[in-house]
Amino acid sequence: EVRNRDAEKSKYCDSKIYENNSSNVPASELSNLVGTKYPSLLFDIVLRRLGNDSTCGGSGKIFSNISFISYPSDGIEFEFDNDNTLRAIFLNPIYQGSLFNGLKMSDTKEEIIIKLGQPEQFINVPRYKYDWIYKRYNMLIAFGRTNRIIDLQLNNGINP
């Protein structure tokens, strides 16, 4: 069990155990959660595998209808709307779970095209968060200066 393994790691002052357990949760399983309400048995199974190092938060004045459950040490953030329905999942480069078609968070644009094909949409708006959209995977990808993934969003087909 994840908590037993976590108990062997160093503890922080808040008694949570911060360890990256994201390899226990593949993106395909995360993607299946989008559109479901929290709490639920499906969420319980996934969150249990991630361990006890989550943080929760509501949004500020700009996005007053959104709340979050974050697993910072796993590179995962869940975004919920007012009725606790999961809207999107954000993955950052420390996420270690398996992605689609062998994709890795460390892949370059060229490697992504080899594994997933051309994205259905390229976004060329300056300072827009996401650069590529793969509708068939309900996935948006943002790249950093090194042309590697800095953020990946899983959603139910909605644009950000």
Side-chain angles (χ1 to χ4, degrees), residues 59-129:
S59 51
K61 293 178 182 175
I62 297 174
F63 299 107
S64 61
N65 61 338
I66 296 173
S67 60
F68 299 92
I69 298 177
S70 298
Y71 283 81
S73 60
D74 297 300
I76 302 173
E77 183 171 85
F78 299 92
E79 178 186 286
F80 299 90
D81 62 17
N82 276 343
D83 71 350
N84 289 335
T85 299
L86 183 64
R87 294 169 37 119
I89 300 168
F90 302 92
L91 305 176
N92 70 41
I94 64 171
Y95 173 75
Q96 297 174 354
S98 62
L99 295 167
F100 306 101
N101 290 359
L103 182 68
K104 295 179 183 138
M105 293 298 285
S106 59
D107 284 345
T108 63
K109 288 181 177 181
E110 294 78 19
E111 292 167 324
I112 294 169
I113 289 173
I114 290 168
K115 293 176 181 180
L116 301 181
Q118 291 288 329
E120 285 91 355
Q121 188 174 348
F122 293 94
I123 301 171
N124 295 317
V125 178
R127 292 202 212 125
Y128 188 77
K129 182 165 182 163

Side-chain angles (χ1 to χ4, degrees), residues 7 13 23 31-32 78 96 109 135 141 153:
C13 61
S23 62
S31 190
N32 289 335
F78 299 92
Q96 297 174 354
K109 288 181 177 181
K135 293 179 183 175
I141 300 174
Q153 181 190 133

